[in-house]
Amino acid sequence: MILPGNTSCQGCPISLAMRCLDEIENPVLVIPAGCSTVVAGLHPNSAMKIPVIHVPFASTNAVACGLKEAYKRLGVEANVIAWMGDGAADIGFATLSASAARRDDIITVVVDNEAYMNTGTQASLSTFWKAKTTTSPLGKGDEKRDLALIMIAHRADYVATATVGYVEDLRRKFRRAGELKGFRFIHIHCPCPPGWRFPSEKTIEIARKAVASGAWALFEYYNGKLRFSGVGKRYVDKGNRISLADYLRSQGRFEHLSDEDINELENAIEKEWEIIRKFSND
Amino acid sequence: MDLEPLISRTKLGAAGETGSWRNYRPVVKRELCNVCKTCLSYCPEGVINEMIEIDYRFCKGCGICKEICKQKAIEMVPE
């Protein structure tokens, strides 16, 4: 759904995720400010083969909801997608939450590169614990928020986490979200070469390491049940995972971490898994 | 209200010919390639076609195709 020669950086995960949008029928994108805005094209050019509306941050889901209702009245079949980064999900969180509670008939996609990359890597709520950003030069001290679990707490109709490291899995989740009705939420892990400071060819490798080390859980939630996705299933068991250090040491934003810090992060991840397991019936 | 000036039009190469950003050029070694098309699905730019031909007008040279290739059939050559 995106044409070559767009403005994305080399090795951009967002551009890869946008390519996977072909799985959804008749998509219409609503994009708040962020990297996705730039990737979708700067006026008067658009790199997208589909209609896109650029909106202010906090209005994203409200615009998407209104658009969907208007399409319904006109009898137009369209999948309206609110496509935002983790920064826009922070800023527009109240609208996002209200939209989920209203069960708006839209898809919300959050491409999570774990910081405000478009403005130069400021820490967001999704930023990994202890990651170096320009607003956390010594490493982020705050908690990391898990958006997908928050959406499950809204009892949304479909919630999934995905990663650009496994595009078949991502495409399958897009397809399923496109076929369902109601409020659908997809959270995509997007390793960003300039922001996380690694070479552009490593995007996929790092995305896969995140899954293999347990730093990113892959699951789907629908009909009131959480199911772990095929590619990530074996890493639910801690014994099958690669060491977290392997994932962290491959990125410049974690170069300052000591071994004790990494142990601490392992505990933080284990705590998160405990919460996820509570939702699961597997 | 005339909205026409506010609308962007779809264009191949919205940022121009991005091939000029490239430092390294991916070159496919035909004798090793088994056309599994993994590079095609993982290319962020979408410049690889079904015949595993790379469109150098727009390829930014990120090197993901080289990394993902199990056959090691793609080589990065300095421009």
Side-chain angles (χ1 to χ4, degrees):
Chain A
M1 289 296 158
I2 184 164
L3 287 168
N6 55 60
T7 38
S8 65
C9 304
Q10 288 149 317
C12 178
I14 295 179
S15 160
L16 183 50
M18 278 177 167
R19 278 192 63 205
C20 299
L21 270 179
D22 339 339
E23 301 295 337
I24 299 177
E25 254 179 77
N26 304 327
V28 176
L29 288 186
V30 179
I31 306 183
C35 283
S36 305
T37 310
V38 181
V39 176
L42 301 178
H43 190 75
N45 299 330
S46 169
M48 306 299 289
K49 291 187 259 184
I50 50 176
V52 177
I53 303 179
H54 295 285
V55 295
F57 287 115
S59 70
T60 318
N61 279 68
V63 171
C65 167
L67 201 58
K68 178 69 196 183
E69 290 303 316
Y71 277 136
K72 265 187 193 162
R73 300 273 158 92
L74 294 170
V76 178
E77 283 281 328
N79 263 314
V80 180
I81 305 170
W83 180 288
M84 59 184 90
D86 55 310
D90 282 4
I91 299 167
F93 185 70
T95 335
L96 172 62
S97 179
S99 178
R102 284 195 303 268
R103 296 274 178 97
D104 289 345
D105 187 16
I106 57 171
I107 302 173
T108 302
V109 176
V110 173
V111 279
D112 188 350
N113 47 23
E114 301 192 342
Y116 291 75
M117 294 308 177
N118 188 42
T119 47
T121 327
Q122 289 82 10
S124 77
L125 297 180
S126 294
T127 301
F128 208 80
W129 301 278
K130 296 186 190 288
K132 235 186 220 179
T133 65
T134 47
T135 50
S136 60
L138 298 174
K140 184 191 170 192
D142 304 336
E143 251 306 328
K144 176 180 184 293
R145 179 185 63 185
D146 197 324
L147 260 180
L149 291 182
I150 294 174
M151 287 301 135
I152 293 178
H154 284 75
R155 290 176 283 281
D157 296 283
Y158 180 76
V159 179
T161 57
T163 169
V164 293
Y166 295 102
V167 290
E168 294 81 8
D169 181 65
L170 171 59
R171 281 177 182 270
R172 189 178 56 77
K173 284 167 181 167
F174 271 157
R175 212 178 308 135
R176 177 165 283 158
E179 286 160 2
L180 291 170
K181 294 263 174 262
F183 189 84
R184 294 145 283 168
F185 181 86
I186 303 179
H187 195 189
I188 309 175
H189 194 230
C190 289
C192 167
W196 296 13
R197 291 190 278 132
F198 61 82
S200 64
E201 71 265 24
K202 300 283 183 200
T203 305
I204 308 301
E205 189 187 314
I206 288 185
R208 288 183 179 178
K209 275 183 182 171
V211 176
S213 62
W216 186 258
L218 286 176
F219 57 79
E220 280 176 289
Y221 169 91
Y222 55 95
N223 297 340
K225 273 185 191 157
L226 186 145
R227 301 161 179 87
F228 292 108
S229 310
V231 278
K233 218 170 207 169
R234 61 186 302 257
Y235 306 114
V236 177
D237 179 6
K238 210 179 169 192
N240 292 331
R241 292 184 201 160
I242 63 167
S243 80
L244 185 63
D246 193 7
Y247 168 58
L248 300 178
R249 294 283 184 218
S250 49
Q251 304 163 44
R253 61 176 180 155
F254 292 116
E255 64 189 3
H256 60 293
L257 292 191
S258 65
D259 290 343
E260 292 86 73
D261 288 334
I262 291 179
N263 280 339
E264 217 176 292
L265 291 187
E266 262 171 9
N267 292 335
I269 286 174
E270 207 32 57
K271 267 189 202 143
E272 196 167 304
W273 274 98
E274 270 169 34
I275 300 174
I276 297 171
R277 280 199 199 97
K278 278 183 192 148
F279 282 99
S280 123
N281 309 62
D282 286 358
Chain B
M1 198 171 80
D2 182 18
L3 291 173
E4 192 55 34
L6 300 174
I7 297 173
S8 301
R9 298 285 168 198
T10 303
K11 191 186 172 198
L12 178 71
E17 300 217 339
T18 49
S20 61
W21 301 9
R22 198 169 56 231
N23 294 324
Y24 290 89
R25 166 193 291 254
V27 177
V28 184
K29 295 184 206 159
R30 294 285 158 194
E31 65 279 13
L32 293 176
C33 176
N34 61 1
V35 202
C36 69
K37 298 182 187 171
T38 309
C39 53
L40 188 156
S41 21
Y42 282 92
C43 173
E45 202 60 25
V47 291
I48 306 178
N49 69 12
E50 297 276 323
M51 304 299 292
I52 319 299
E53 289 162 343
I54 300 168
D55 187 346
Y56 292 116
R57 280 179 306 158
F58 300 117
C59 168
K60 292 169 183 161
C62 67
I64 285 181
C65 51
K66 184 208 81 181
E67 283 288 314
I68 204 87
C69 184
K70 284 192 182 125
Q71 295 289 318
K72 301 203 185 305
I74 296 178
E75 191 183 13
M76 299 302 284
V77 181
E79 281 288 343

